[in-house]
Amino acid sequence: MNLLGIGLWTLTALAPPPTGGLTGSKLAFDRDGEPVVLVGGDIRTGVGTRIAGGIIEIRGSRITRVAPAGAPIPAGARRIDLAGKIVTPGLIAVDSAMGLVEIEAEISTHDDSASEGDSVRAAFDAATAVNADSALLPVNAMEGITSAAVTPQGGLISGQVAWIDLVAGDHRDIVAGRGVAMRAHLGAVVGSRALALAQLREVFDDAVFFRRNRGAYDRNQSRALGAHRLDLEALAPVVDGRMPLVVSADRASDLLALAELAASSKLRVVAIGGAQAWKVAASLARADVTVVVQPSQNLPSSLDEMGARLDNAALLVQAGVHVGIAVLGDAHNARNVTQEAGIAVANGMPADAALAALTSELARAYGVDAHYGSISAGKVANLVVWDGDPFELSQRPSQVWIRGRSIALRSRQTELRDRYLRRIGKRPRSGLRP
Amino acid sequence: MRLATYGAAMRVAPSATGARGRPRWLRTIALSLGLLTGCASAPRTEPTRARTPAPTSSAAKQTAHGDDAGPVLVLRGARVMTATGVIYDAADVVIRGKSIAAVGVGLPVPTGAAVLELKGRTITPGLVDTHSHLGVYPAPSWEGNSDGNEAVAPTTAQVRAADAYWPQDPQIDRARAGGVTTMQILPGSANLIGGRAVTVKTYLDVRGIEDARFRGAPEGLKMACGENPKRVYGEKGGPSTRMGNVAGYRTAFQKAREYRRSWESYRDKIAKWTTKRAAGTVDDEARGKDDGPPDPPARDLAAETLASVLEGDILVHNHCYRADEMLGMLALADEFGFQIRSFHHAVEAYKIADHLASAGVAASVWADWWGFKAEALDGIRENAAMVAAAGGRAIIHSDSALGIQRLAQEASKAMWAGRRVGLGITDDEALRWITANPAWALGVEDRIGTIAPGKHADLAIWDGDPFSVYSRVVHVFIEGRLVYDHAEPIPGTDFELGYVEGSR
């Protein structure tokens, strides 16, 4: 089945224009429910605070109350004892191909890129291509990834990022919000980074022009524009600053260009990669550019990454930059983001800042922090329960809650494992964890 | 010399009088490279017995047999994970020259020895990676530097990774800083038979492959199953299927058999001729053409490589993901009479762990890579643990310039995955996945891979549990020489000079 074709058809014929972020206090999947309280855990809220032995009350898909130890519990609430456990917000995988690419080497499993040709593909909406049956979803969900910013690739402007929760199999509601961000690229995608930057500026100007002169455009009385109608329409919330622009950039000069763009317009900019961000940290902080890094990446794999260092995240946080952490380019192992956070901490990043970099900072950067990224009343009840330090290699979640439900900690991988454990004469333990 | 200053930051405390009245060796000299390798005049003394002998490993009793000349360094008081089944909470490792002389608790400090106090640190063997392309796929990943795949024909047994190893690859510095002291550098996996691999150490001051080579280590042969060769050659004359892949291996090994036969035949002839000549039946002065020595067969470098495999002199390292293909390769190896030393990548090793154990073939695997191609779809976290639980030899390899920097973390993930399903993977076993087992796979298990007397003094010293995400390597020794000190910036390769100040 050609999912991409259906996606474009849906876009032109049916879909409402993307709104740029998750607006409104409720989302399509939201539901009510009887109260559930998680009691006694060491709550790490994701915004730098901790509540020892606190109470998290969930109703339906939302957290309805977070209270300190000893606070009253509603009568009749289902009570789950988390004494001795750590509770964190659900972890977020950004810039991910999850649900869009099943197997990198198999082109037939790819839905992450609009056709070659046009370099501006702003109307391309990843939401319509997400595969809720992807094997990547349970594999990552059982290790604490509860949401993903599902991101198209390719071209100068790749298209729109969809926000999903990792509710495997929920074809109807897996997408929490479409068009939460726009993905773009700097670097030499169109011959030279100078040209890429000029084209980006031009297309943003044209998006503004298009909106102001829509009538003239429709009468065919407009000057030539740098992108197609649908793409220019899709860019409107970006130039308004309602939809963040997510751009991969490693080189200091590219990062400075992004900072300048952010400072001189309404654009909200998120940089992905940021190998040399430490060199221009003050500018990034001033322009409020969030930088999403993969802390282990310390190799000079290209000239843009000369000087890549393990303490990049620590230096950025010190300089007041908003920092996110991700496993970049490997959606299959988005789950290893806890190890990446641990590496950042080992190299100087404060632990609470590292947890924020997996949760609240990412939600903020993608404009979904009204719903995601922290443990507080009103947020979607995406929670992870740990027996110990979430960043330690010994740890895997003992419970994962997504939209207020505790998910089964099973995946294709655990099925394979259990089948062959039996074959080598080892009975899988009951209540197996990853 | 570079490390004269490099090592100066190491803490060398004078050893205090022990509770049991051990001699006091006050040494205030800075521990420097000069001491470790250049100080031939350092007095060599037999170890003094502690008055109350402390428990030592049986290995430590062999101290007196240590015949490796050179200065003596005692690494004292660290947690010592030997990868021999013994983990000491606090023990000493005595290095004499290039080798480990003793390991045990409360060992006496030989006269003239330098002492490095390592209380709170952990010592492991230097880490060993069976699968790396550092130097042949360097950073930056420029075309001009890309020398890993001789992708011009599906069988290139004549090429050698050693001929392309670029010692200025900055990734080598990072690997060393991660505690890796030995690594096998392989050709890539485009080809059915990619060529000869070379085992190197991460020595300093390497200017060419002969400076890096692990002397006396056997060479490896890189073979690749599955998708990569058929993808590369599918439209370049084949193979385009797994059928074609296997036909390619069989053709190449058949040719090697025949090549070996031609040399055996030649050796027979030359032996007969030599006998004849010795018996005086060949008249050198007056002999006719027919009486001359037989001509040797034409040398064929590719067939020669494979003939050496058949002789067991070159060890086979076989990139192979799927269980069914690994079983097929075991059968093929039987057919032609060679051994596969280790499967690499082996994401489905857990499905045939019993076969691998009984065939004595190691499985070099990742902790958690999966899904990037069809043949990697069935990867699971418990792979290494299930291989070990079946009695097989598990190895965590990197195939990555990032992964090689944290092999212990990768082993840790795989260890914990095993423990969570009730497979009793000990710390020592998991450590063996990145030390003793890869050393075996590379055919150098008698020289490296454990902390035991007589082994090379290749050691990694950690500021915490190597299996913790927060622990870092603080010192690395190769053959008794300090080659990395966390307190000092990495000097940087030639390539990085002028681009970046010391970074890590």
Side-chain angles (χ1 to χ4, degrees), chain A residues 143 298 339 389 392 412, chain B residues 378 381 405 413 468 470:
Chain A
E143 297 201 13
N298 65 340
Q339 183 184 8
D389 179 350
E392 257 306 358
R412 195 170 172 281
Chain B
D378 286 3
R381 282 200 182 278
Q405 298 180 48
K413 287 188 285 182
S468 164
Y470 302 118

Side-chain angles (χ1 to χ4, degrees), chain B residues 178-330:
Chain B
V180 172
T181 53
T182 295
M183 53 190 184
Q184 177 171 239
I185 307 302
L186 299 139
S189 53
N191 298 354
L192 300 174
I193 298 176
R196 294 193 193 204
V198 61
T199 296
V200 300
K201 289 206 185 186
T202 56
Y203 297 116
L204 287 176
D205 303 326
V206 170
R207 289 185 289 181
I209 185 63
E210 295 314 323
D211 296 340
R213 190 187 292 278
F214 187 137
R215 302 211 170 276
E219 288 177 286
L221 179 75
K222 174 66 178 289
M223 296 179 66
C225 297
E227 292 183 32
N228 290 11
K230 75 188 193 110
R231 185 175 297 121
V232 172
Y233 294 101
E235 288 170 11
K236 291 205 289 185
S240 71
T241 63
R242 287 183 166 84
M243 298 186 289
N245 287 356
V246 174
Y249 314 129
R250 298 180 76 230
T251 303
F253 276 103
Q254 183 55 34
K255 194 174 168 199
R257 270 181 171 173
E258 287 156 13
Y259 182 72
R260 185 166 64 159
R261 204 147 55 217
S262 70
W263 277 92
E264 281 165 0
S265 156
Y266 166 71
R267 278 193 289 271
D268 284 349
K269 284 182 193 154
I270 196 94
K272 280 181 193 146
W273 182 84
T274 308
T275 312
K276 213 165 134 189
R277 185 181 181 205
T281 51
V282 175
D283 179 349
D284 276 347
E285 295 295 323
R287 68 172 189 237
K289 219 177 177 185
D290 291 347
D291 288 337
D295 288 332
R299 194 172 172 201
D300 176 329
L301 296 178
E304 184 175 284
T305 295
L306 299 184
S308 297
V309 168
L310 297 177
E311 297 293 335
D313 296 334
I314 291 180
L315 306 179
V316 174
H317 294 272
N318 190 179
H319 155 130
C320 208
Y321 287 69
R322 268 180 17 191
D324 55 294
E325 277 186 291
M326 287 189 268
L327 292 176
M329 291 307 293
L330 291 177

